[in-house]
Amino acid sequence: MPTAAANRRNLENYWMPFTANRQFKQAPRLLESAHGMYYRDVEGNQVLDGTAGLWCVNAGHGRREITDAVARQLEKLDYAPSFQMGHPIAFEFAEKLAEIAPGGPAAKLDRVFFAGSGSEAVDTALKIAIAYQRAIGQGTRTRLIGRERGYHGVGFGGISVGGLVNNRRVFPLLPGSDHLSHTHDPARNAFSLDLPEHGAELADDLEKLVALHGAETIAAVIVEPVAGSTGVLLPPKGYLERLRAITQKYGILLIFDEVITGFGRLGTPFAVDYFGVVPDLVTTAKGLTNGAIPMGAVFASRAVHDALMQGPVEQIELFHGYTYSGHPAACAAGLATLEIYKKEGLLTRGAILAPDWRDLMHGLRELPHVADIRTIGLVAGVELKSRPGAAGARAYEVFVNCFADGLLVRVTGDIIALSPPLILDRSHIETMVFKLADAIRQVA
Ligand SMILES: Cc1ncc(COP(=O)(O)O)c(C=O)c1O
């Protein structure tokens, strides 16, 4: 790997996303099949999946139940429109999702809007927030607040509230969007075994933004409870609680982007359950369908939903939706996925494995270049010191070395992220740590 056969393929036509296309095509890494915890590349080499694909294949690869459910659904009803029309399986999926919806019995976010991806779920939630404020007579509230180092997909809404400079610098952004400070503070919190002790006060940034812009201009704040794509950044103890209190004080909606943390990643069904902090809206995707069919979903509180269910009944309450909202095949995949999660206890399995995961990952601490290790549930971030003048190069080399040794990891800057399928056992964790350690030792 990379291989002669891979190089012989025509790779010119496919413009790859979030990829250094020219570099990749010189030395491609091509995955051809997958089962359980493993991929197989085009040369037949086995690759242990340390990232559940892209944080999405929570029940492991090649699940027969999902394949069969999708095939049956496509035979029965391949597609049906969702505008002023419905099909039973979309209602059935929403009802099943409502059973596990974040928020607990008292404040369940059990009104579900379907989208086609995480980015679409984010833009949907942002639009619902603005529409809600208008519906309750707060039409001046159109400003959206995100956080530095946040990732909320690639729609114009998502990049506006997102905090990744490379996603933003080339594109025009929504007017009025602003950002809280990020919470990453390795100087005070490096190698925390639990949530970071320091930084709850960073939530008070919102007070500053309220003072600067006026609460009456702010519709919503969106954060990832645990920032995934920017390097597994955990919320300091008390931070999310404080953010919730301040948003409530000023009538600002709080959105948790759970596209990564939803569906068992932290050892609880949702991060809402892990932290015991209930926002007004939750965005999801990825594990919603085990990554098998693209889909996103927004969970809304009844208060938000019901505020929009006003006015003449013939009126469309929210002018928003996608051709593929509630796609029958995606709903079939999602229903089969939920069944697997339930039968195999996967939404809470992470809690059982988390202590082993944490202890084995923290064993990498003494390796050269390691600056910080962070774990929560079945997520880990291993941060390396950057090579002077070449930020990101060291972690990229570790990624390439890992792949050559049959392990898929993910890198962002100089942070290596792991988030395996939730079906793994201790031996997989040991293999991941062993291979990752080897790959780190190889880099200068
Ligand atoms: C927190 C978060 N929000 C949104 C997205 C965007 O999801 P998608 O790539 O499905 O559009 C992602 C993707 O990684 C994500 O991690």
Side-chain angles (χ1 to χ4, degrees), residues 117-119 151-153 224 229 257 259-260 286:
S117 66
S119 298
Y151 181 65
H152 301 292
E224 300 160 86
S229 300
D257 186 345
V259 165
I260 282 178
K286 298 190 186 275

Side-chain angles (χ1 to χ4, degrees), residues 251-297:
I252 298 167
L253 290 187
L254 181 61
I255 306 169
F256 278 180
D257 186 345
E258 293 225 38
V259 165
I260 282 178
T261 53
F263 301 100
R265 181 53 54 198
L266 304 186
T268 51
F270 295 90
V272 168
D273 307 305
Y274 188 96
F275 295 108
V277 176
V278 185
D280 304 290
L281 294 155
V282 166
T283 54
T284 64
K286 298 190 186 275
L288 177 64
T289 57
N290 205 37
I293 302 276
M295 191 179 215

